[in-house]
Amino acid sequence: MSPNTAAAASPAAAAQAQAQAEDWLVDAALAPLADGSLAPLYAGAAAGELTLPFCAACGLALELEQRACDGCGATDIRWRPVERAGSVHAVTLVHRREPGLVRVTEPYPVLDIELASGHRLIMTTLTATGSAPAIGRPVTIGFRHVGGVAVPAASLDPAGADDSPATSGTTPVPGTTPAPDPSAAGLPAAAHTSSEPEVSP
Amino acid sequence: MASPLEPAIVGLGLTPMSLSAGGVPVDLAIEAVAGALADAGLAPGDVDGLLVNSSQGVRPDRLGVALARQGGLGDLRLLEHVEIKGATAAAMIQRAVLAIRAGLARTVICVFADAPLRAGGTSGSTYAHSGGNDGARGLERASGVLGSVPTYALLASRYFAVSGGDPEDLCAVAVSTRAWALGNPDAVVRKPLDAEGYFASRMISAPLRVLDCARPVNGAVALVVSGEATPGQAPRVHVRGMGQAHPMRRRRAPGESWFGGGRAAVDGALEMAGLTRADLDVIELYDPFSVVTLLLLEEYGLVEPGQAGKVVRSGATAPGGDLPVNTGGGQLSGFYLQGMTPLAEAVVQLRGAGGARQVPGASTALVGGIGGRVDHHACLILDLEPSR
Ligand SMILES: [Zn+2]
């Protein structure tokens, strides 16, 4: 994957350095397809925004792969930045670590986050942690970088994700201070999933 | 001209269930088909329909409709690939029955084969490397969601939060299911299991341990559905009721995203059969993970909401209990051949062929199949009687 382009301002260099650093959790081989079906999400993430789909006609929050609104039937989808805040809806601590794909040596969390916008996104945490947060716990959203692609991640820090305000819906990119942890990409964001299945049941 | 008899399952064929690498799906399928035809007392030329359930997703050597040619069948009037993920097996039986009733075919084979175990890699590794990098799945994979266990662990987490319950309930399912497997020579795990052994097993994705997960095998199952009188010795197993439900749960607040909406499949099947839940002698559910057994017992209305753990811990679902569930060891301890696992066991029980794990006098069964992330449900009510 080619790295996304970071913002143009002075923090650009810092942002670029973050984007090129290795992710704490997974190998770059798991980088998502930035110009695929979720391109608006990744473009927003590269600019520090959590960008998600809504029905352009009725405003209903839609799933990432939804192409028509289940509320009104409209097929005009609008992706827009949302507040980078939510709470834990479901949680697991993954013990199985696939060699070559997962870089950590200890169990890692996977969270289903219910965002203030109503969307639910699956993500891991911004930085390594061996504990699983409780359901209902508030989180803010930042970004990890996997193979140069920014992906949403949850910050469990009660003070919010690094330098970004916890609930700034439309704040542009990372801000002032560089994130202390190389894996803590600038800001907010989260993402998730819809139903799909490849592995059976 | 329509068939003379109400369509029924008249043949069942299983290959040996292997925990070793080896075998290719088409060969396994052909072996199972031969077994099912022999069981029914039929020859390939007696067959005029074939329904194929491939293993979706990751396998390049999936079964296709070419199986008809490769397997030596004659001219067919019905040939289809059916695909609603894990719910496909029950859906194939539904399709076969409806086709026979409509006069589109007389004798239909339904087959599934899979060989996920390969030399040099585990099935877990095979699953971990599948899924691609586009769309929602690509984003999940970049977030460390590899294979299906983490997603079902999230489901378990959410289920516990909503319905109550805890790992002791998962343990009870694993222990109950294993107790059934002890009596099934086709089950691949037949070592006695207690709570101590369960809690000593490896954690995969909390709260799911390795003993909460299905046992993939290389193998195949085939069934023959026919509206003709057939010379096989086993009693005809009739399909009295059928139903499907495909709930479009959305991944947004405030509804539940991980479960719900499957009950309509069972309600519809029971209504068609003219039976109630109290009439069911055995319950055979798709159980890729222990939590799914708990979830489906509640979702299908077989126990009161929030009571599944309590019911399983009481021993009701185990051998000798009054709500026998997954009597062959299910997918957890028996073998994981997707929807064929509960379907084959239901047929064995109604035939009275269950040997050491036979439920005395079983004459009606519920078969519940799910697909995806519990996105698809296909149910059958099987009965020794063609009508009541
Ligand atoms: Zn709409």
Side-chain angles (χ1 to χ4, degrees), chain B residues 17 180-188 190 328 335 353-357:
Chain B
M17 299 304 160
W180 283 114
L182 300 182
N184 180 7
D186 290 319
V188 296
R190 278 174 287 160
F335 54 87
R357 93 274 197 185

Side-chain angles (χ1 to χ4, degrees), chain B residues 243-257:
Chain B
Q244 292 190 18
H246 307 274
M248 297 297 147
R249 297 182 308 265
R250 297 292 173 182
R251 289 201 41 82
R252 65 171 174 244
E256 287 300 326
S257 296

